[in-house]
Structures are given as C-alpha cells and as structure tokens.
Amino acid sequence: MKNAMTVRVFADTNLFIYAESQDQDKSSRAVTIIQAAPVISTQVINETVSVLIKKHGFLLSEAHEIAGSLLDLCEVVAVDAHTIRKAIDLAKRYSLSHWDSLIIAAALLADCQTLFSEDMQHGQIFDNQLTVTNPFLYS
C-alpha cells in the first residue's frame, strides 16, 4: 500500500537533457531528481530522444540507450486519448501550449503533486493538486 505522505513527482523533459549536459550544476541537480525515480510520460522519453539527437548531436543508438535507461528507472505513464482530452481542457483553462498541457495532464492523471520543470512558471498550481517547481531556479 502506498504511503499517503509520499509526494509523487513528475519530471519534464528538460531534466533529462540537463542530466546529459556539460553544465555541472544543472546536471547534478537533474541526476539527483532522476535517481529518485520520478514519474514521466511517453512524451518525455520521445522528446528526450529527439532533443539529444537534433540539438546535442547524440547518435540514435546513444539516445536509445538513454531512453532504455529511463524506461527501466522511471515510472512511465502513457499519453493516451484520456490524457489528450485532459490536456485540451487544461490548455483552454490555463492558456497553455499543447505540449505543456500534455505534460501537466499526464502528471495530474498520475496523481503527482510536484512537476519539476524549467519551462513553466515556478510555483504555479494546476487543479489545486500539481505545483510546478524549477529545480534550477537557484543555480
């Protein structure tokens, strides 16, 4: 039975990119969060592979190895029709981009209370449940 006091956290794509970066401070902070086995969505894995290849020059095989590690380490939730419908609703209510609303919808549907992301407004709360935390704010 899950401990009621356990805070479930969701990690946005940028944490996995920073984990592989040359920025030692951000990389260290990202790795610490990742080692705690956060919840992620299939979107996060796909975006990570894409960004590592397109923007950071990783080989496809290297990006796939990282994706495999994420699949093994993290709790992965699928982006399905229910997630997309929730994302559409969130995008309308909070004036979000489609991609951000998918991340937030996946986190909410996975019963997460914290969303680690550099790309969203630090401290913003969604549906009285999910709080955005920028783990790099005080770098």
Side-chain angles (χ1 to χ4, degrees):
M1 187 168 174
K2 189 172 78 170
N3 182 342
M5 297 305 290
T6 301
V7 174
R8 288 177 52 83
V9 302
F10 193 99
D12 197 356
T13 306
N14 49 49
L15 270 80
F16 302 99
I17 303 305
Y18 281 125
E20 300 297 326
S21 80
Q22 300 303 311
D23 182 324
Q24 293 301 316
D25 185 48
K26 286 187 176 183
S27 179
S28 175
R29 289 174 191 232
V31 167
T32 298
I33 292 167
I34 294 165
Q35 288 174 335
V39 179
I40 60 174
S41 65
T42 52
Q43 173 189 351
V44 169
I45 294 173
N46 292 327
E47 287 177 349
T48 299
V49 168
S50 178
V51 171
L52 289 175
I53 292 168
K54 291 180 180 176
K55 294 186 179 177
H56 297 281
F58 280 60
L59 297 174
L60 179 60
S61 60
E62 294 169 328
H64 280 168
E65 188 174 317
I66 291 165
S69 295
L70 299 181
L71 287 165
D72 292 340
L73 177 64
C74 300
E75 178 183 337
V76 181
V77 296
V79 173
D80 59 13
H82 184 61
T83 312
I84 295 167
R85 289 183 193 283
K86 179 140 185 92
I88 290 168
D89 174 63
L90 288 164
K92 289 176 187 172
R93 288 192 289 125
Y94 292 100
S95 299
L96 299 165
S97 77
H98 178 66
W99 301 111
D100 285 352
S101 69
L102 280 171
I103 293 288
I104 294 162
L108 285 167
L109 291 171
D111 293 323
C112 293
Q113 292 81 39
T114 300
L115 167 59
F116 284 116
S117 178
E118 181 184 51
D119 297 336
M120 298 180 212
Q121 183 181 339
H122 178 75
Q124 184 167 7
I125 300 171
F126 294 95
D127 288 2
N128 298 312
Q129 173 186 330
L130 182 71
T131 303
V132 175
T133 300
N134 181 346
F136 310 117
L137 195 59
Y138 305 106
S139 298

